[in-house]
Amino acid sequence: MTDFFLRIKQQQEQQLPFVMFRKPDDKRLVSYLQSNDHLYFIDDYSEKGFVIAPFNGEPIPYFPESESEIHTAGWFERKEKVSTSPDCNSQTQKNSFEKLVDSAILSIEKGEFKKVVLSRKEDCSIGDFDAVTAFENLLGSYPSAFVYCWYHPKIGMWLGASPEQLLRCDGRRFSTVALAGTQKFNGSSNVKWHQKEKEEQQFVTDFLLESIRPFASELIVSSPYTARAGKLLHIKTDIEGIFKKEATVKDALQAIQPTPAVCGLPRREALNFIFANEGYDREFYTGFLGEINSGPETEPFTDLYVNLRCMKIAESTASIYVGCGVTKDSNAEKEYLETVDKSMTIKEIL
């Protein structure tokens, strides 16, 4: 594992692109080390490599397998890191976000849309930042998340621990999840969910099923259950199936992304509200990332995750991105406090 991280540090010192990641509940670390600083983009999803897509669509950067060294190492789990999170919130931020939520609730009451996911960005001063240390902290704090550190000299550095798989494809078999609703983990996953969270999660489930059904010959859907992600709990539904022979990964991605879990419903109306009112560029937050057409030619797989619980590192600043789902039953102050809880869990790694 020491050699694995040493190669990452050397890659960063040479200002060459890299990504290191660990999949949920896995004991293996993987890295893609690109051999040049060229910025490659996805064309038709036939490419092989590691992709990171922005929230607003294209262009979609990726690290080609053909231009990268791929390394693996074992991860020896250690105790969860305990620390104090920097407080980067302000009364101005609180007031601004609550005003945004109230505006969304008013639009929902007028029938403009059923749900919208609103977000904000916190900028925290961090001084000297070590990517490997931060990545290790994420590994220890989020054993059941997709944990990553991604860097390109022409874009910057992103780190995150996503609890939400977007799409997994093994041949014609696929799986995805509907994840929504949030509350703090206080030692037990046996919790009561309010109607607002249940409804919010059902929006996501219904949308995914409706969107992917035209491309599927079989579908299996689990009952909703409580899933832990670090110090937070969410409602989760597993969806599995088999693609029709003519269906492609591109078809499925264009149908389901962005989901109501990161955008809203109906999608176009929610997106219009976000772009008109959020007041900042989400960049790669709530986009997706992961391996595409990886593995042997005879058995390629695609394994993509929604980019949540993430931050962007620029010089001595960490920009933390957090959001919440707003429905007709939302309360502006409670929604703001949900974003605070989410930001605190990711800021602990700093």
Side-chain angles (χ1 to χ4, degrees), residues 238-271:
D238 298 318
I239 301 170
E240 300 178 3
I242 298 177
F243 279 133
K244 294 177 180 177
K245 184 174 291 187
E246 65 274 15
T248 66
V249 170
K250 183 178 181 180
D251 291 334
L253 284 175
Q254 290 181 337
I256 67 175
Q257 177 65 15
T259 74
V262 298
C263 169
L265 197 70
R267 181 161 62 182
R268 178 171 296 179
E269 287 78 4
L271 277 173

Side-chain angles (χ1 to χ4, degrees), residues 43-76:
D43 181 29
D44 60 5
Y45 288 88
S46 65
E47 296 85 356
K48 293 172 65 71
F50 190 96
V51 62
I52 184 168
F55 172 66
N56 62 358
E58 298 179 343
I60 300 175
Y62 84 112
F63 298 157
E65 276 193 12
S66 60
E67 300 293 338
S68 304
E69 292 181 19
I70 301 176
H71 297 269
T72 62
W75 164 250
F76 302 100

Side-chain angles (χ1 to χ4, degrees), residues 36-305:
N36 57 61
D37 66 355
H38 184 72
L39 190 54
Y40 296 93
F41 294 103
I42 289 289
D43 181 29
D44 60 5
Y45 288 88
S46 65
E47 296 85 356
K48 293 172 65 71
F50 190 96
V51 62
I52 184 168
F55 172 66
N56 62 358
E58 298 179 343
I60 300 175
Y62 84 112
F63 298 157
E65 276 193 12
S66 60
E67 300 293 338
S68 304
E69 292 181 19
I70 301 176
H71 297 269
T72 62
W75 164 250
F76 302 100
E77 189 173 344
R78 58 183 177 80
K79 291 184 179 180
E80 182 176 321
K81 183 178 184 292
V82 179
S83 66
T84 301
S85 302
D87 187 1
C88 312
N89 294 290
S90 68
Q91 189 63 41
T92 300
Q93 281 185 320
K94 182 177 186 294
N95 294 342
S96 177
F97 192 74
E98 289 180 2
K99 183 178 179 181
L100 177 62
V101 172
D102 282 332
S103 176
I105 294 172
L106 182 60
S107 293
I108 292 171
E109 291 173 346
K110 291 179 179 178
E112 295 178 15
F113 42 81
K114 294 180 180 180
K115 171 189 173 180
V116 65
V117 178
L118 300 176
S119 70
R120 63 187 182 89
K121 181 179 71 168
E122 293 181 23
D123 292 327
C124 298
S125 178
I126 55 174
D128 293 332
F129 179 81
D130 182 75
V132 168
T133 299
F135 180 70
E136 287 189 288
N137 289 341
L138 279 173
L139 291 172
S141 297
Y142 291 88
S144 297
F146 178 80
V147 175
Y148 77 93
C149 175
W150 184 95
Y151 169 76
H152 196 294
K154 296 177 181 177
I155 294 179
M157 177 176 288
W158 286 72
L159 295 93
S162 175
E164 183 173 351
Q165 185 170 61
L166 178 64
L167 186 67
R168 166 90 190 191
C169 300
D170 291 283
R172 288 173 54 220
R173 291 192 172 274
F174 70 88
S175 60
T176 185
V177 301
L179 192 81
T182 301
Q183 59 179 281
K184 286 184 178 180
F185 174 72
N186 291 314
S188 173
S189 295
N190 186 20
V191 297
K192 181 179 179 180
W193 292 98
H194 297 294
Q195 185 60 34
K196 184 261 181 185
E197 288 93 357
K198 291 179 181 179
E199 184 179 78
E200 184 184 349
Q201 198 268 347
Q202 192 63 47
F203 281 153
V204 181
T205 302
D206 292 344
F207 170 85
L208 287 173
L209 290 173
E210 181 181 342
S211 299
I212 212 160
R213 185 172 279 117
F215 306 105
S217 59
E218 293 182 26
L219 276 175
I220 301 173
V221 186
S222 76
S223 298
Y225 62 95
T226 300
R228 182 184 174 189
K231 295 184 178 180
L232 298 175
L233 299 173
H234 307 285
I235 310 174
K236 185 176 183 180
T237 298
D238 298 318
I239 301 170
E240 300 178 3
I242 298 177
F243 279 133
K244 294 177 180 177
K245 184 174 291 187
E246 65 274 15
T248 66
V249 170
K250 183 178 181 180
D251 291 334
L253 284 175
Q254 290 181 337
I256 67 175
Q257 177 65 15
T259 74
V262 298
C263 169
L265 197 70
R267 181 161 62 182
R268 178 171 296 179
E269 287 78 4
L271 277 173
N272 288 341
F273 185 89
I274 289 169
F275 292 143
N277 294 279
E278 265 192 351
Y280 82 105
D281 184 358
R282 291 188 182 185
E283 298 183 62
F284 293 104
Y285 169 60
T286 61
F288 63 86
L289 74 168
E291 295 170 287
I292 184 167
N293 299 316
S294 191
E297 294 288 345
T298 54
E299 297 181 355
F301 67 88
T302 292
D303 199 9
L304 303 172
Y305 296 80

